[in-house]
Amino acid sequence: MNPFVFACITPHGGEIIPELAGDKPERMKLTRDSMVKLGKKMMAANPDTIIVLTPHGTRIDGQFSISNSERMYGSFDENGSVYEMERMVDRDLALRITKAARDSGLGVGSINYATAAGPLSCLPLDWGAIVPLAFMPDIPIVVITPSREVTLADHYKFGEVVREVVQNTSKKIALIASCDWAHAHDEKGPYGYDPAAAMLDEEVVGLFRSNELEKMAQFDPEYVDAAKPDGIWQTMILAGAIPKENRSIHLYSYEVPTYFGLICAEVSYVEDR
């Protein structure tokens, strides 16, 4: 049984959003066009809730962070423009995932702010969620932020937990793994240049094409640190949620228009092969 009506891996560079492209709309056009296609696929799938895995949400050292506020609001500014977004939270699904993860022995925190419920119960919505959601239907969300202090094996296990919870709900659930890749492609960028960036991105694209996402867990930590991706952790959760034997990946695009790599891919469920 397919637990997710739609799943994808997306980047979160601000300029992907048309309103933030500034005077260089061609710079991320390839990625933007891919995001429009993914958004249309998501709309056609008609989910009730979207789970977003983002590296830039509220972080808890050593634990997975799961949104449990009434709503989330955030803004992102780029090239002199500001893009704002507000989404309601599917608190029932968030609490189900939290309980199942705890029952599985995983470290997880259910997070809220200000009041238990009502309009003041509002967490910040980060750009790792805002950018992909800008292309998706306006429906409730659950935002999950992984912890890099947690092993990649436990990220995969957390994905298995998410799959089990989704399989046992009557709601139609979609999944987004929001991932940028190596951030050290340009010496003028904030992280400088390292040849590991191009090498890692090339390997990642190859793993997408061969449907072997799990092999990212074998990357040497020093290699990862040199290339500076932020997508491995969310990808491992998605790999656990949609395992290899049930997974088909359609790579839409890869580009490096600035200092970091951008990948768009659709992840489909297939019956056991």
Side-chain angles (χ1 to χ4, degrees):
M1 175 183 175
N2 184 0
F4 302 97
V5 296
F6 187 74
C8 57
I9 296 175
T10 73
H12 45 255
E15 291 184 19
I16 301 169
I17 298 175
E19 291 88 339
L20 301 181
D23 60 358
K24 296 180 179 178
E26 296 299 312
R27 182 150 63 184
M28 294 188 181
K29 185 178 185 303
L30 176 62
T31 296
R32 190 178 303 115
D33 289 348
S34 294
M35 290 297 297
V36 170
K37 293 177 184 177
L38 288 171
K40 289 179 179 178
K41 286 286 192 76
M42 179 76 82
M43 191 73 71
N46 193 31
D48 299 310
T49 301
I50 301 174
I51 298 173
V52 185
L53 312 174
T54 170
H56 301 303
T58 303
R59 300 187 186 189
I60 306 174
D61 286 349
Q63 295 188 46
F64 297 93
S65 167
I66 303 179
S67 62
N68 182 30
S69 53
E70 193 83 18
R71 62 190 179 93
M72 301 183 76
Y73 167 82
S75 63
F76 194 41
D77 60 278
E78 192 95 19
N79 297 317
S81 298
V82 178
Y83 188 87
E84 296 179 286
M85 177 178 288
E86 180 179 7
R87 292 287 187 273
M88 301 305 293
V89 176
D90 185 338
R91 304 184 77 176
D92 174 68
L93 181 62
L95 289 172
R96 287 171 182 261
I97 294 172
T98 301
K99 182 181 184 304
R102 286 177 179 160
D103 290 347
S104 296
L106 295 167
V108 60
S110 174
I111 58 171
N112 196 353
Y113 178 77
T115 59
L120 294 179
S121 172
C122 181
L123 285 166
L125 193 62
D126 70 282
W127 69 96
I130 290 172
V131 174
L133 288 174
F135 296 86
M136 306 299 168
D138 183 355
I139 58 175
I141 59 174
V142 174
V143 174
I144 298 173
T145 301
S147 170
R148 297 185 187 183
E149 287 75 33
V150 175
T151 66
L152 289 174
D154 275 353
H155 280 74
Y156 186 92
K157 181 179 178 180
F158 183 83
E160 293 178 319
V161 168
V162 171
R163 180 177 77 243
E164 183 178 355
V165 171
V166 170
Q167 284 177 328
N168 287 295
T169 180
S170 60
K171 296 176 181 177
K172 296 186 293 183
I173 309 298
L175 179 65
I176 297 174
S178 180
C179 308
D180 286 339
W181 297 94
H183 283 63
H185 283 278
D186 187 345
E187 62 181 11
K188 296 180 180 179
Y191 303 99
Y193 170 78
D194 195 294
M199 294 169 59
L200 184 138
D201 276 9
E202 182 178 0
E203 285 196 68
V204 167
V205 169
L207 294 178
F208 272 67
R209 294 189 186 282
S210 62
N211 189 23
E212 295 179 305
L213 303 180
E214 293 80 0
K215 289 188 176 180
M216 292 185 201
Q218 300 172 18
F219 287 167
D220 184 273
E222 292 186 4
Y223 175 47
V224 173
D225 185 61
K228 293 179 170 53
D230 72 14
I232 294 174
W233 298 267
Q234 301 85 261
T235 299
M236 289 303 296
I237 294 174
L238 181 141
I242 308 176
K244 183 178 179 179
E245 62 270 19
N246 296 119
R247 188 172 63 227
S248 175
I249 301 174
H250 177 197
L251 182 66
Y252 281 40
S253 59
Y254 166 74
E255 65 172 340
V256 189
T258 57
Y259 63 90
F260 56 98
L262 308 174
I263 290 177
C264 292
E266 179 181 350
V267 183
S268 302
Y269 181 94
V270 296
E271 296 300 329
D272 289 354
R273 287 177 286 193

